[in-house]
Amino acid sequence: MASSFSKGGGVDTQALNSGVVTHLAGENAPSPVREEELRNRFLSFDPIFDNKGLVVARELVLRGQSHWEALSPELQRMNEDMLLTGLYSLGQDKLITDQPLFVRISREVLFSEALPELNQPGIVWVLKDTDAETETHIEKLASSYGMRFCLDSNEPVDTHGDWDFLRFHARTKLSALPDTPIVVRDVTREHEISRWPANVWFMGEHFTGTHGEASTKPQFDLRMELASVAMRQSLPSLIQFLRLNPLLENQFMHIARSMAGGLSTEADSAAHAMIKMGGQRSQRVAVLTALSGNPVTADNRLFTQVALSRALFMGKLASSISDIAVPEEAFETGLFSTFPAAFSLSVNHLYRRIGFSRKVYESLAGKENSIKKLLHLVHACEHHNDKLMSELASSLALPMESIAASHLEAAVTAEDIGSRLI
């Protein structure tokens, strides 16, 4: 089967059947490369959200290829070849879930014999154009193989095909809404969401932010996505994300084994570790992994240590403050307090992209409340500002002994994680 996609793309798809290694750029590649490394290098999963900001589906894309139409036909074919090779590899390793995975294909691939072999229950095949012959063929494939299809169009369409989804640009104006489920892409502003019904799905920079520059922000998008999955999705989704992105798994395991993760017994994988730790601790470790990256830089090591120290300090003291109803929100405020500096992003941008709670957003954005006062208190502790510490302790009705003990305990745990980052 793999030979159907062995032309172009620079990937030796014949080697994918071995499940071990393959080569880049033909026979002159300097060394063999593992399949998962190839997937991590070439593939990305663009999230698709519901109107509440929860990830409900993803689109499989090539990293750095956001303007497919601008490429020459030859490059488009090569990119499609690489994308489908990666998809085949994901299927062989059983990494495709039941959550919809949108995959763009050309008309040529639609009519090829290979498409039924590539199909999996979670896949939604995306086409840019339609005609009577195309619609007849997708009805046949849907009937014979249970395939699902999405028509992507910049303009309103008059189609009677057996489409499972219709996808439009955010600025598309429809005279009437079709019964077919809708995905709206290229959403950049809040008002572009409000004009669509509540059951519509969305994708675009409003939710994910602009893509980072790889030269200045290593693994920027991958780390942002990890934090988003940790905050928005279930534990199985987080496990699946790390399986698909093994580049961050080693760092995750180092943090899991630290005092921050509290993994007391050995685990043979990130998935095993998360099952042992449970959802809450796994979420914490994943966010710290996103903050640190892999390999960690000196700045990111500091950002990670400070974030953990603040989170532990604020979370512990919050339970003693009567008007903080949810101490976990104080913990999260501390945990995300260094993200704006670490990623050079505004709090508003991070709120849309990662999905922490509204109270955390307000506290980080400067709204005065008890959580914000706690954040001021931890800043005062970090800068040894005794006068401000005393004022804030009095305002929050916290004894100085508790503040000192909590700060010391948090600092010891943060020091431990700093020594384990790679």
Side-chain angles (χ1 to χ4, degrees), residues 205-270:
E205 292 180 4
H206 174 74
F207 294 94
T208 64
T210 55
H211 291 289
E213 294 293 334
S215 59
T216 58
K217 297 287 183 184
Q219 309 158 17
F220 180 98
D221 291 313
L222 185 62
R223 291 161 60 201
M224 280 284 99
E225 179 72 356
L226 174 58
S228 176
V229 170
M231 296 305 296
R232 297 177 187 269
Q233 299 296 293
S234 64
L235 183 59
S237 295
L238 183 57
I239 290 172
Q240 179 74 355
F241 180 86
L242 282 174
R243 287 188 68 199
L244 289 169
N245 297 282
L247 186 65
L248 294 172
E249 185 171 9
N250 284 344
Q251 193 72 285
F252 182 96
M253 292 299 293
H254 279 273
I255 296 175
R257 295 186 183 108
S258 73
M259 293 170 67
L263 188 63
S264 57
T265 57
E266 192 59 35
D268 54 18
S269 67

Side-chain angles (χ1 to χ4, degrees), residues 46-47 49 66 186-189 203-213 220-222 224-225 228 232 343-355:
D46 283 358
F49 302 85
S66 57
D186 302 314
V187 176
T188 59
R189 297 288 187 272
M203 57 194 308
E205 292 180 4
H206 174 74
F207 294 94
T208 64
T210 55
H211 291 289
E213 294 293 334
F220 180 98
D221 291 313
L222 185 62
M224 280 284 99
E225 179 72 356
S228 176
R232 297 177 187 269
F343 290 95
S344 300
L345 294 174
S346 69
V347 174
N348 185 54
H349 189 127
L350 288 166
Y351 172 58
R352 295 200 315 267
R353 183 155 190 177
I354 294 176

